[in-house]
Amino acid sequence: MALKIEAEISGLRLDAFLAYKIENLSRNAAQKLIENRLVLCDGSPVKKSDKTSEGKIYEVTIPQAQETEIVPQDIPLDIVYEDDDVIVVNKSRGMVVHPAPGHSDGTLVNALMFHCGDSLSGINGAIRPGIVHRIDMDTSGLIIAAKNDFAHQALASQLKDHTLSRIYEAVVYGAVKEPGTVNAPIGRHPTDRKRQAVGVKNSREAITHYEPVALYNGYTHIRCRLETGRTHQIRVHMAHIGHPIVGDLVYGRKKPDKGLSGQCLHAKCLSFIHPTTGEKITLECDLPDYFKAVLSRLGPRIG
């Protein structure tokens, strides 16, 4: 399709213009079109940051939608909240959020597709329908998915401006006696692409607030609030300050103490502004059995 820039929309960033002009096209999807060289001006590819100017004509190619190869699967879900716009699930530890190499099925997405049918946003493509944010396979707890693109865009904006709040609880090594904040940028590890690291090249801002819930002999039950949402953020930050998460074999001790197996990190609370009603919704879920079992093995509380 050919899109001509009129005077009243001159000066917009190109990705914003495309999202404004093309029905049902998100800004993220517009950026992907540009990255895939499907938007041309005078026969040449453009940049998403280019500004529109009056009289320019852009040729935009919208690829045909591809059928997803993900198979809906009847996997039980612990649904904490659901309406026509969003669904919030208490994910079990060990469940992968979306298909990836080595995890082609049995994921949260497979389960959501069975439960929701076609009612999942398509912004993140066929592999991650509805997925607004992720939590690690070995992290349990609350995760929100969007049922339409409008809800997805609204929730993604809340993630960016921190009005979507996520609170986690964890058990870490050592004594954490006072609340604190870790403000340390995180990026992909330079030699191990499965790991993240603090202060490496191309790091992005990462802020985690934490506070002790209970002290044990050699361990602390803590609560963390994410201000940003980088991959493995809590795990990386707590290890960075010398308090790795119990059971985290990537950033913590390679062998768990006292038979404490499994990563002890749980997304306990989720708060967001409903995309349609504007109501603030706050949801909580109980600590799972594995987490309670770890606490029971730590001995008596000392604070």
Side-chain angles (χ1 to χ4, degrees):
M1 68 175 69
L3 299 176
K4 186 176 182 179
I5 306 301
E6 307 295 341
E8 64 271 16
I9 51 177
S10 180
L12 284 178
R13 262 181 61 122
L14 183 56
D15 54 354
F17 162 72
L18 294 176
Y20 164 78
K21 195 70 175 178
I22 302 175
E23 186 177 3
N24 296 325
L25 186 75
S26 69
R27 190 163 178 172
N28 187 61
Q31 292 174 357
K32 289 181 180 178
L33 289 177
I34 295 169
E35 290 168 1
N36 291 328
R37 303 168 70 89
L38 295 175
V39 181
L40 305 177
C41 183
D42 295 328
S44 299
V46 296
K47 298 178 181 179
K48 61 186 178 184
S49 59
D50 285 354
K51 298 293 180 64
T52 59
S53 59
E54 184 179 0
K56 277 191 175 181
I57 298 176
Y58 292 91
E59 290 290 337
V60 183
T61 301
I62 306 293
Q64 290 187 344
Q66 296 181 351
E67 292 294 326
T68 174
E69 296 181 0
I70 303 175
V71 178
Q73 292 177 292
D74 187 5
I75 301 170
L77 290 173
D78 181 4
I79 298 171
V80 178
Y81 178 89
E82 182 178 14
D83 60 25
D84 290 340
D85 293 301
V86 299
I87 180 170
V88 179
V89 173
N90 181 10
K91 185 187 82 69
S92 60
R93 186 177 67 172
M95 174 180 267
V96 177
V97 170
H98 61 79
H103 300 281
S104 59
D105 59 11
T107 72
L108 178 63
V109 162
N110 294 102
L112 286 173
M113 289 181 66
F114 183 91
H115 177 80
C116 301
D118 294 331
S119 297
L120 287 171
S121 74
I123 287 177
N124 274 337
I127 299 298
R128 293 183 286 173
I131 300 302
V132 178
H133 68 104
R134 290 175 287 176
I135 55 179
D136 299 336
M137 176 179 72
D138 289 327
T139 300
S140 57
L142 299 179
I143 180 170
I144 189 169
K147 289 188 171 184
N148 54 68
D149 286 0
F150 173 79
H152 196 134
Q153 291 171 333
L155 293 171
S157 295
Q158 291 178 43
L159 274 174
K160 188 174 182 179
D161 64 19
H162 314 312
T163 51
L164 192 157
S165 173
R166 290 165 291 164
I167 296 175
Y168 290 69
E169 293 197 9
V171 177
V172 299
Y173 290 104
V176 180
K177 297 181 179 180
E178 300 291 337
T181 296
V182 184
N183 186 344
I186 291 175
R188 192 177 296 279
H189 193 283
T191 59
D192 185 350
R193 292 189 59 80
K194 293 184 178 181
R195 290 166 55 94
Q196 305 293 309
V198 167
V200 295
K201 185 178 179 181
N202 297 323
S203 292
R204 301 172 67 190
E205 180 186 39
I207 301 172
T208 304
H209 306 282
Y210 64 88
E211 62 180 352
V213 175
L215 284 170
Y216 297 83
N217 185 20
Y219 305 88
T220 308
H221 176 187
I222 65 169
R223 182 177 296 117
C224 296
R225 180 174 63 84
L226 291 177
E227 188 167 321
T228 55
R230 307 304 174 209
T231 302
H232 302 172
Q233 179 171 314
I234 294 174
R235 298 165 61 192
V236 173
H237 272 173
M238 295 314 296
H240 178 65
I241 63 171
H243 297 289
I245 292 172
V246 167
D248 185 349
L249 303 183
V250 176
Y251 300 102
R253 300 182 183 179
K254 301 308 178 185
K255 291 185 179 180
D257 294 346
K258 300 180 182 178
L260 303 179
S261 61
Q263 181 174 290
C264 201
L265 179 61
H266 178 68
K268 192 172 190 297
C269 181
L270 178 71
S271 180
F272 62 97
I273 307 300
H274 193 279
T276 300
T277 68
E279 175 189 3
K280 183 175 182 179
I281 295 176
T282 299
L283 304 169
E284 290 193 33
C285 59
D286 292 336
L287 292 175
D289 290 343
Y290 81 84
F291 199 115
K292 294 176 182 176
V294 168
L295 294 178
S296 71
R297 296 188 188 112
L298 298 182
R301 292 173 53 159
I302 60 174

